[in-house]
Amino acid sequence: MGETDLDVDVVVIGAGFAGLYAIYKLREAGFTVQAFERGDGIGGTWYWNRYPGARVDIQSVEYMFTKFPDLEQAWDWTELMPAQAEIERYLNWVADELKLRDAIKFNTTIAAARFDATSNTWAVTTQTGDTITAQFVVGATGCLSAPIEPDITGLHHFTGDSLYTNRFPREGYDFAGKRVAVIGTGSSGVQSIPVIAKEAGELFVLQRSAAYTLPSPNRPLGPSELAELKGQYADIRAKQWASYAGTARFGAVMFFGEGELTPILDTPWEQQMARLDEKGFAACFSWSDAFFDIDANQAATKLYGEMIRRIVHDRATAADLVPQYPFGCKRVIIDEGYFETFNRSNVRLVNLRANPIERITPTGIQLRDEHLELDAIVYATGFDAMTGSLSRIDITGRNDLKLRDVWADAPRAYLGLTVAGFPNLFTVTGPGSPSVLTNMVTSIEHHVEMITECLLHMRATGAAAVEPDTAAQDEWAEHVNTFAGPLQVHPSCNSWYLGANVPGKTRTYMPYAGGLTRYMDHCRDIVDAGYIGFVFA
Ligand code: NA7
């Protein structure tokens, strides 16, 4: 690059699961590929989110590429639900095994991409001003990779250490003896809090919304168990690909137990308590009506509150830890000892609804009722999900249309993959894709294969550009919406699924909740019928 611009068939942005698979599949299909990665290493989400306690909430043997029978036999997971470092190692190993590294330019942020309608190509520009032209751009930028800086006065005036879960220092951070505050109790906060609590001198957990979190079933995977699982990989993969969420072995059963579900609203309190005695957290939400009826959902939350009270000794703290919104509205978290952490003498929960943050000061955090003197603040405050990473790139399509403007009005993409007005741009796990409601790996594999198939189709038919029809895109958005509404719980809180955690973002339930198999069937029907809803030029 530089003086002599490279010309390739496809520019891939990102080198996480999606970027790696895109490089592999597109090269295998005969396309030339240049990938760009902002970080200095492979991993995407698993490169950036290296905070203490970061861990996936899906089984290791399913949270891996499913289409490489030899590779999967050669990789040994050490835990049921692996931590960040192990997944990062896995992705680096895959990149080496598949010889993908030479396609990636690291430490390179893409700043802009502009479509040229006369040549049907994209000019992709890096932050340092280098430009590369390509016929296609594949945005493999992840669903949760555009961090939000919280709108708190004085954020940059703090003279202690400011840490961000989504770009935690690679060398770690020594919390020993320090006075620490964690702001945010989503997955990142809830996973890191028990680990930080064990090290810190004093830990303040600053909670705006309480979390629905369930104890992790994680444990080491012994060699004989792993060998047995490897013997079942073909069967596991088949089940994954025939499932709602791209998971085979446990899915919801892992957390909620097995057996016929009955309605909580027909179950007397004493019987509910008996279930709690027997099954613990697994009893709270394993009811046939808990997801479909708001009253049932509230009854289940009451049970959850009872469970928290059984663990957390301080009554006021236990009460503050009970969520005030429906279960299932935000992504359910899997933790390792979260509630137990509040029994430690060095940990204090601050309920920000009762005692809000007024500002960050040079020495700590000024709450309405007191000042917290701190050595470090950990921000676990979330992401501009699903659209944020591409909206932050200055992407210009046909007729000077900006993707960020289009998505500001309506964050939608046909099948989650393509956006009207932006020919030859693919969004991999964009809004309207099942992605975040499924095993990300299976969704990513499906989407990348669909994109590759589309490019091969274009090569075979001589098409130079493809984009969705606006009507088809709108119809897909309507279809996505039909799965968001009836559940009642999805639109009822400020979740990142809705974009409601980002000030000013249009409130739309972005992921496709109809399930992976239904989604794949739709895609297959569309392709088999001659790419319905796509316009080829
Ligand atoms: P989340 O789940 O979006 O959580 C962010 C948390 O930060 C959440 O508790 C927010 O409270 C809180 N937050 C955000 N801004 C503020 C301010 N200004 N003051 C106080 N608290 C704030 O992000 P995560 O990184 O934890 O997890 C993202 C996904 O990654 C997760 O769902 C998994 O899929 C993996 P709020 O709920 O908005 O009241």
Side-chain angles (χ1 to χ4, degrees):
M1 284 189 7
E3 313 88 310
T4 50
D5 288 343
L6 281 182
D7 281 313
V8 288
D9 295 322
V10 192
V11 160
V12 171
I13 311 174
F17 270 103
L20 293 182
Y21 199 54
I23 297 167
Y24 177 80
K25 290 305 289 183
L26 291 165
R27 276 180 160 183
E28 185 193 45
F31 297 97
T32 54
V33 180
Q34 176 65 63
F36 295 97
E37 166 55 51
R38 187 159 47 99
D40 70 1
I42 277 163
T45 288
W46 301 106
Y47 169 91
W48 294 102
N49 291 274
R50 50 182 76 243
Y51 59 84
R55 186 176 290 285
V56 73
D57 54 5
I58 286 181
Q59 277 198 61
S60 53
V61 295
E62 298 182 7
Y63 197 70
M64 65 193 302
F65 290 115
T66 70
K67 304 290 179 77
F68 302 105
D70 294 343
L71 280 194
E72 67 187 13
Q73 290 297 329
W75 179 260
D76 293 339
W77 293 107
T78 65
E79 290 187 276
L80 196 66
M81 298 165 107
Q84 173 271 332
E86 189 166 14
I87 303 170
E88 189 189 17
R89 268 200 306 280
Y90 165 73
L91 287 169
N92 274 278
W93 175 79
V94 169
D96 290 333
E97 291 292 313
L98 297 178
K99 302 190 173 27
L100 307 177
R101 223 175 263 278
D102 64 309
I104 307 164
K105 193 164 166 43
F106 293 98
N107 297 308
T108 308
T109 299
I110 298 302
R114 172 173 276 277
F115 184 69
D116 175 1
T118 50
S119 61
N120 286 312
T121 59
W122 283 90
V124 180
T125 305
T126 69
Q127 211 163 37
T128 51
D130 290 329
T131 296
I132 177 171
T133 55
Q135 190 179 0
F136 302 97
V137 174
V138 173
T141 44
C143 292
L144 293 154
S145 46
I148 304 172
E149 178 155 290
D151 184 16
I152 304 175
T153 309
L155 193 77
H156 299 289
H157 296 162
F158 184 55
T159 54
D161 295 322
S162 297
L163 300 153
Y164 298 84
T165 51
N166 46 46
R167 45 190 188 281
F168 208 77
R170 188 193 285 267
E171 63 284 4
Y173 179 82
D174 185 8
F175 288 102
K178 298 210 168 103
R179 297 162 301 175
V180 182
V182 174
I183 303 180
T185 49
S187 296
S188 306
V190 167
Q191 287 191 334
S192 59
I193 283 160
V195 185
I196 296 172
K198 287 188 190 132
E199 296 174 25
E202 242 184 313
L203 174 63
F204 300 93
V205 175
L206 273 54
Q207 169 194 284
R208 191 165 67 181
S209 304
Y212 282 104
T213 173
L214 298 169
S216 169
N218 185 40
R219 56 181 168 74
L221 265 187
S224 61
E225 187 182 1
L226 183 64
E228 200 180 318
L229 284 168
K230 284 184 178 180
Q232 300 165 9
Y233 271 170
D235 181 48
I236 290 172
R237 302 294 172 242
K239 288 198 175 113
Q240 280 182 263
W241 285 106
S243 70
Y244 173 89
T247 53
R249 286 183 77 230
F250 300 140
V253 172
M254 179 159 65
F255 306 111
F256 305 138
E258 286 183 87
E260 185 83 356
L261 299 183
T262 52
I264 190 169
L265 291 180
D266 293 350
T267 308
W269 178 247
E270 300 70 39
Q271 276 181 37
Q272 294 179 27
M273 287 293 105
R275 288 257 310 259
L276 214 59
D277 293 342
E278 188 197 338
K279 295 182 163 182
F281 276 106
C284 299
F285 301 102
S286 50
W287 305 98
S288 58
D289 47 358
F291 289 100
F292 304 104
D293 182 298
I294 284 291
D295 292 336
N297 197 299
Q298 273 169 8
T301 297
K302 192 169 163 213
L303 214 50
Y304 185 67
E306 174 61 26
M307 198 60 219
I308 294 171
R309 266 190 297 282
R310 290 184 180 191
I311 298 173
V312 178
H313 303 154
D314 181 72
R315 303 300 280 182
T317 304
D320 281 345
L321 286 166
V322 182
Q324 303 293 315
Y325 56 90
F327 176 78
C329 182
K330 297 187 185 190
R331 189 175 167 109
V332 177
I333 302 166
I334 306 303
D335 72 82
E336 297 198 325
Y338 180 64
F339 291 119
E340 290 79 355
T341 297
F342 293 95
N343 292 332
R344 296 179 64 98
S345 59
N346 66 332
V347 176
R348 203 181 110 198
L349 181 70
V350 176
N351 179 350
L352 295 179
R353 304 264 178 206
N355 191 11
I357 297 175
E358 285 194 340
R359 63 183 183 283
I360 311 267
T361 68
T363 58
I365 297 178
Q366 180 64 52
L367 302 169
R368 192 187 58 198
D369 298 342
E370 69 177 300
H371 185 263
L372 304 176
E373 287 288 322
L374 300 167
D375 301 305
I377 302 175
V378 179
Y379 295 93
T381 43
F383 301 89
D384 182 353
M386 300 200 77
T387 55
S389 51
L390 284 176
S391 291
R392 287 179 188 190
I393 300 173
D394 182 16
I395 296 178
T396 312
R398 275 192 293 105
N399 305 324
D400 288 333
L401 209 56
K402 298 276 184 195
L403 185 63
R404 63 168 66 121
D405 295 341
V406 170
W407 275 355
D409 285 344
R412 50 181 60 172
Y414 186 41
L415 303 173
L417 301 175
T418 55
V419 185
F422 299 85
N424 294 357
L425 169 72
F426 293 93
T427 51
V428 191
T429 49
S433 128
S435 55
V436 291
L437 299 179
T438 67
N439 179 348
M440 282 300 290
V441 185
T442 41
S443 280
I444 283 168
E445 285 180 326
H446 170 272
H447 300 345
V448 166
E449 287 167 20
M450 173 108 179
I451 293 164
T452 308
E453 190 181 340
C454 180
L455 266 56
L456 285 170
H457 170 77
M458 290 174 71
R459 195 162 63 182
T461 56
V466 61
E467 69 177 296
D469 183 52
T470 308
Q473 182 172 290
D474 290 347
E475 260 173 52
W476 182 253
E478 279 307 307
H479 178 64
V480 171
N481 204 32
T482 56
F483 290 101
L487 279 182
Q488 295 187 42
V489 297
H490 281 156
S492 58
C493 71
N494 287 337
S495 72
W496 57 256
Y497 292 138
L498 278 171
N501 62 328
V502 180
K505 189 165 175 175
T506 301
R507 205 177 160 102
T508 306
Y509 194 76
M510 291 180 287
Y512 178 70
L516 180 65
T517 44
R518 192 196 305 259
Y519 171 86
M520 292 195 306
D521 289 347
H522 267 293
C523 291
R524 187 42 48 210
D525 290 347
I526 284 166
V527 171
D528 288 351
Y531 283 91
I532 293 173
F534 287 92
V535 182
F536 292 94

